[in-house]
Amino acid sequence: MSALLLLQVEAASPDGVVQGGWDYVVAAYAISAAVFFFYAVTVVVRLRRAKDVQ
Amino acid sequence: MGFLLVAVGVVLLLSGSWYGLFVSPQERYMGDVQRIMYVHVPTAWNALLLFTFAMGCALMSLWRGGWGWDAHHEALLEGAAVLSALLCVQGAIWARPTWGVWWDWDPRLTTTAVMFLALLGILALRSAVDDPEKRATWSAVATIIAFVDVPIVYFSVRWWNSLHQMQSSPETVSAPFIVPLRLNAFGVLALMGGLALLRARVAARRTARELGPALEPLPAGALVEAR
Amino acid sequence: MTDTVRLPAPPVRRNNNKRWLAVLALVVAVAGFGLLTAGGIGENLVYYWGPSDVRNAGDQAVGATIRLGGQVAKGSIRQSAEGSLLEFSVTDGKAVVPVRSTGVPPQMFREDIGVVVEGTMTKDGVFECKRLMVSHGNEYRAPVDSETPDMEKLIKSTEGLKSSGD
């Protein structure tokens, strides 16, 4: 039954190429940059504080 | 030294990311989405590498007993934890447009999540123990045992069938993709390595304070350069 | 960068009596690793079944939620015109399992690519897919000029599809 609803289309079989997707790329790079930046800030802040205490 | 390495890391990461985003060609099937590789793979390498360094410091901390090893142990654990958390997020963002899902309980993904949780656990253990001596000893033992997960993460894609692909090698990656990969790999290493050196200073100062005022008036020869 | 940290001077350094702990921890770690690798967890931990495994399991595979992994067989992809039904076969070169799925597959989906499908085997021998995942190999290649997708050709072929579907 379902085979009747389906239509065999050799030419239109998916080519498997991802179109677009820049939003994912931007998200990945932005999150990475943010994590590195904020981690660096916390390290430097803690280093400053540790110096003040001494 | 720490700040210098951080600066080198930032320069490498900026140039590598620029190359990866704007110079490298699209991948044949993944198109632009493949550019996530240039941050994801360096993050993965360095997460495993920092855990390995932490394990080396843990061993030396038990073997030699120097406080410097303990301070670097703590710093590297934290760096590895940050990288593994980031690794899982980047992986999910890359998986959605390619695999079609954000996450699945594939061996590679599961063992990586275990690595992150183990690192969190050891850091929690460290912050829960007040006695520096006990903290150093117990956390070093925990790190050495938890390190077992690192080779399992690495070999998971070979030992078991998985959704995650096997490690790439220069033979399986076209030349223009390798440049940004290497730049960012050394970039993350320099950045996180530099931050670990700075973070170790924080740990060393805290330990010195905890060990008490008896150590306060130090002779000039006892000043140790924190590296 | 020249600033120094007051670390305890060498005489106050921690005792070296923790060496046995280092050895013990290493032994535990190596033993644990050995158990994991040699102890057959590799056979017990299965992420997906191959088409041959599913075929060999026969009725046992029916009704249980399993993952089936393999390659999309050449020429097996059939998609309904409105794109809500998707049929294809998963093969490992030896056995073939037909898969029925709904919805739009990931863009990477194509012939010969690896897939992992989650779902159940039905009595009529068709795998009912609830979750379709595309797995790609470890190859990353820059497109060769002749291999770049020809958009014009692609659009034409879809137009042909529409007219023949009507």
Side-chain angles (χ1 to χ4, degrees):
Chain A
M1 256 311 277
S2 71
L4 285 176
L5 296 169
L6 295 165
L7 139 113
Q8 179 121 39
V9 266
E10 207 68 17
S13 124
D15 65 352
V17 177
V18 179
Q19 304 291 339
W22 268 102
D23 38 352
Y24 291 103
V25 179
V26 170
Y29 277 76
I31 288 172
S32 307
V35 167
F36 288 137
F37 179 76
F38 284 112
Y39 182 60
V41 168
T42 65
V43 170
V44 172
V45 165
R46 281 182 284 177
L47 189 60
R48 288 254 171 85
R49 271 195 208 134
K51 270 181 191 162
D52 291 344
V53 173
Q54 287 237 312
Chain B
M1 184 63 184
F3 284 110
L4 183 71
L5 270 177
V6 170
V8 170
V10 169
V11 171
L12 282 172
L13 279 172
L14 285 177
S15 49
S17 300
W18 173 77
Y19 197 108
L21 285 172
F22 305 115
V23 181
S24 281
Q26 295 184 330
E27 207 267 339
R28 227 167 86 185
Y29 292 111
M30 282 200 188
D32 288 315
V33 174
Q34 185 265 343
R35 300 178 197 279
I36 296 173
M37 183 195 202
Y38 310 130
V39 283
H40 182 63
V41 172
T43 303
W45 287 341
N46 284 290
L48 297 176
L49 199 58
L50 259 64
F51 200 160
T52 309
F53 291 160
M55 137 87 171
C57 290
L59 267 180
M60 291 306 284
S61 168
L62 287 177
W63 199 257
R64 301 290 299 274
W67 288 108
W69 292 115
D70 182 56
H72 286 85
H73 174 215
E74 177 176 316
L76 288 161
L77 281 177
E78 199 179 270
V82 169
L83 285 180
S84 0
L86 178 60
L87 181 63
C88 293
V89 175
Q90 291 168 338
I93 295 173
W94 195 10
R96 186 66 187 83
T98 53
W99 297 348
V101 294
W102 296 102
W103 180 268
D104 202 58
W105 294 103
D106 147 279
R108 167 56 72 84
L109 276 56
T110 307
T111 50
T112 306
V114 167
M115 176 171 82
F116 171 61
L117 292 177
L119 288 164
L120 271 195
I122 302 167
L123 285 170
L125 169 72
R126 283 190 67 91
S127 60
V129 179
D130 289 331
D131 177 12
E133 189 74 45
K134 282 178 184 155
R135 185 202 299 139
T137 308
W138 294 353
S139 65
V141 170
T143 297
I144 294 167
I145 292 172
F147 181 75
V148 168
D149 193 40
V150 169
I152 295 176
V153 168
Y154 186 82
F155 288 111
S156 57
V157 286
R158 289 169 188 268
W159 290 343
W160 303 300
N161 58 35
S162 62
L163 183 60
H164 196 286
Q165 67 278 19
M166 293 228 287
Q167 291 92 350
S168 295
S169 65
E171 288 84 55
T172 66
V173 179
S174 281
F177 301 156
I178 292 178
V179 177
L181 211 49
R182 292 222 169 119
L183 283 173
N184 276 357
F186 284 107
V188 175
L189 178 60
L191 175 70
M192 294 306 282
L195 288 176
L197 291 183
L198 299 177
R199 178 63 182 79
R201 285 200 221 165
V202 177
R205 289 210 170 87
R206 190 209 48 227
T207 310
R209 210 162 51 240
E210 284 167 338
L211 287 174
L215 300 165
E216 207 64 29
L218 285 174
L223 289 176
V224 182
E225 170 94 41
R227 292 229 159 206
Chain C
M1 255 138 282
T2 50
D3 85 299
T4 50
V5 177
R6 286 171 190 214
L7 294 177
V12 225
R13 225 161 73 170
R14 290 195 287 136
N15 297 332
N16 282 353
N17 59 3
K18 301 279 163 50
R19 290 191 174 178
W20 66 273
L21 263 176
V23 174
L24 186 74
L26 265 184
V27 167
V28 170
V30 170
F33 187 73
L35 274 175
L36 278 173
T37 51
I41 212 175
E43 287 95 70
N44 296 327
L45 198 148
V46 174
Y47 173 62
Y48 63 71
W49 291 12
S52 305
D53 304 324
V54 174
R55 281 268 170 260
N56 291 341
D59 283 347
Q60 276 187 297
V62 175
T65 299
I66 51 170
R67 292 193 199 93
L68 163 71
Q71 280 196 310
V72 178
K74 239 189 170 62
S76 70
I77 301 175
R78 294 151 141 244
Q79 228 166 341
S80 66
E82 66 274 24
S84 59
L85 257 172
L86 175 69
E87 284 186 354
F88 56 94
S89 296
V90 172
T91 180
D92 57 1
K94 284 165 264 168
V96 177
V97 175
V99 176
R100 195 188 298 133
S101 179
T102 53
V104 180
Q107 287 186 314
M108 295 261 291
F109 184 77
R110 65 169 197 269
E111 287 177 352
D112 279 339
I113 201 169
V115 286
V116 176
V117 291
E118 206 176 281
T120 49
M121 203 63 195
T122 55
K123 280 198 190 99
D124 51 334
V126 176
F127 192 91
E128 193 76 57
C129 165
K130 301 222 166 60
R131 189 170 148 97
L132 168 59
M133 294 172 278
V134 169
S135 81
H136 60 89
N138 60 351
E139 292 207 5
Y140 298 91
R141 300 281 177 219
V144 186
D145 284 333
S146 59
E147 279 168 334
T148 40
D150 188 347
M151 279 316 286
E152 268 183 35
K153 213 172 144 189
L154 205 81
I155 290 162
K156 262 185 197 155
S157 68
T158 45
E159 278 169 1
L161 156 69
K162 263 180 205 156
S163 54
S164 69
D166 284 342

